Amino acid sequence: MIFVLCSCRMNLQDIEAFVAVAETGSISRAAARLNLTQPATTRRIQNFEAAVGGAPLFNRAVKPAALTSLGTHVLERCRRVLTAVAELEASTARAADPAGRLKAGVAHGLGEMVMTAPLDALRRTFPRIRLQVSSNWSTNLLEDVCSGALDCAVGLLTEAHTVPAGLMRVTLGAEQVVIVATSRLPARHGGQPWRLRDLADKDWFLNPPGCGCRAALTKAFDRLQLPIHIAAEVFGEDLQLSLLSQSGGLGLVPRRQFEHSPHRHELRVIDVPDFTLPATVTLIRSAMPGRFDPVLELLEHELKVKLG
């Protein structure tokens, strides 16, 4: 089947709407990405289907609507068109001095420790950029970059995280999520390492549900058919470490955060061989070129320096 995207009946906005719906999986999420109403997004999809000959690009008999075979064929070509347009825009002189609001997200627990110096560098280098920074769980950050609610995000990703199609992940630095206890916790008899089974009766101070690290720990206990006693749900690892230093118990935090904590002298990392949670600090952004590329390239460089 021969298909020509450059038909005079097509326009770039309709192509963008089709790609947004295909990548996000719904009209509502695509509308949020495009900053449109749902009816306006639906009209653009209808216009685009008419422009390609009237054949349906989505199978609307299933929920959520899925691409037809033609829709899959068309999607790849639409992405090429948008990439070519983005590369053209990025090559203009104006791209050297980008302006506008850059919406960035950062995983809970990484903000002040990781982001302060890199964001200062962005503000100095690109004075016409207005930063809007929010914090969330890494899973939600991935969804927000995919939907277009964020231009980029810095997440703490584990093997349980899946990066949606259309996004690019840039590894900035390795991280290890560790179990932390008060330094008053006695060593095991004979210097044996701790096992999860030994920790089933301990009090845990953990983030509320939604935290990927908490979910991984809970899964590990479930696999062993062991209970986990959550003494308190405390939002934020800094507060958890403070409470642990005073009252005892166990917490789960990125090693980097533990090492920078003012309470680290009252705490210690305990080795638990049957629970390891490696992670990476990762920059997540659209895989397509865009007007913020120089800004994101500087952010990537500054974060690697900070985490190196």
Side-chain angles (χ1 to χ4, degrees):
M1 178 182 296
I2 297 175
F3 174 73
V4 181
L5 272 178
C6 57
S7 164
C8 61
R9 294 176 295 168
M10 296 181 189
N11 67 61
L12 193 61
Q13 292 178 333
D14 294 345
I15 294 174
E16 288 174 337
F18 167 67
V19 172
V21 173
E23 290 184 347
T24 64
S26 78
I27 290 288
S28 60
R29 287 193 290 269
R33 176 195 283 194
L34 300 168
N35 198 26
L36 295 173
T37 64
Q38 292 186 38
T41 304
T42 299
R43 283 194 299 274
R44 289 189 179 181
I45 296 299
Q46 293 168 341
N47 292 341
F48 185 65
E49 285 181 323
V52 298
L57 302 177
F58 293 96
N59 178 3
R60 295 172 174 84
V62 298
K63 298 293 182 182
L67 287 169
T68 62
S69 57
L70 175 62
T72 302
H73 175 81
V74 170
L75 175 61
E76 181 59 31
R77 284 147 183 80
C78 286
R79 283 175 171 156
R80 293 178 193 172
V81 169
L82 295 182
T83 297
V85 171
E87 288 173 345
L88 177 61
E89 291 175 342
S91 69
T92 63
R94 194 172 62 180
D97 185 22
R101 183 177 59 170
L102 175 68
K103 297 171 290 183
V106 59
H108 294 313
L110 293 181
E112 183 177 352
M113 179 179 64
V114 170
M115 297 294 287
T116 303
L119 291 179
D120 282 344
L122 291 193
R123 293 180 63 249
R124 290 193 306 270
T125 307
F126 300 102
R128 299 205 305 149
I129 289 292
R130 183 160 53 93
L131 292 170
Q132 178 181 313
V133 183
S134 58
S135 185
N136 210 328
W137 307 121
S138 293
T139 298
N140 295 337
L141 293 176
L142 287 166
E143 294 173 356
D144 287 344
V145 178
C146 183
S147 71
L150 292 174
D151 297 301
C152 68
V154 178
L156 185 64
L157 303 190
T158 68
E159 62 181 13
H161 291 100
T162 300
V163 178
L167 299 186
M168 177 171 64
R169 60 186 296 169
V170 180
T171 299
L172 303 169
E175 187 58 89
Q176 183 76 31
V177 180
V178 294
I179 295 175
V180 176
T182 173
S183 56
R184 300 187 299 276
L185 180 71
R188 293 201 65 211
H189 180 69
Q192 293 295 314
W194 293 89
R195 302 282 178 175
L196 279 183
R197 190 172 299 280
D198 305 316
L199 306 177
D201 61 344
K202 306 296 184 186
D203 290 339
W204 288 85
F205 292 79
L206 299 175
N207 280 318
C211 171
C213 297
R214 169 181 167 153
L217 179 68
T218 303
K219 246 183 224 185
F221 272 98
D222 289 344
R223 281 196 298 269
L224 297 173
Q225 298 183 325
L226 293 171
I228 179 170
H229 182 235
I230 300 176
E233 293 180 340
V234 181
F235 184 80
E237 288 85 353
D238 288 333
L239 181 54
Q240 291 170 25
L241 292 173
S242 175
L243 292 172
L244 289 174
S245 69
Q246 298 297 318
S247 60
L250 301 172
L252 190 63
V253 301
R255 180 180 286 274
R256 196 182 309 268
Q257 190 162 13
F258 165 76
E259 290 173 350
H260 285 81
S261 171
H263 307 287
R264 65 188 180 279
H265 299 299
E266 293 85 39
L267 301 167
R268 65 185 176 96
V269 173
I270 63 172
D271 182 30
V272 184
D274 59 344
F275 179 77
T276 58
L277 189 56
T280 56
V281 182
T282 305
L283 176 65
I284 307 138
R285 51 170 296 186
S286 172
M288 290 198 301
R291 64 191 177 101
F292 290 128
D293 282 0
V295 186
L296 298 183
E297 288 165 7
L298 177 61
L299 178 61
E300 176 187 337
H301 170 76
E302 292 293 327
L303 285 167
K304 285 181 175 178
V305 170
K306 176 74 175 181
L307 296 168

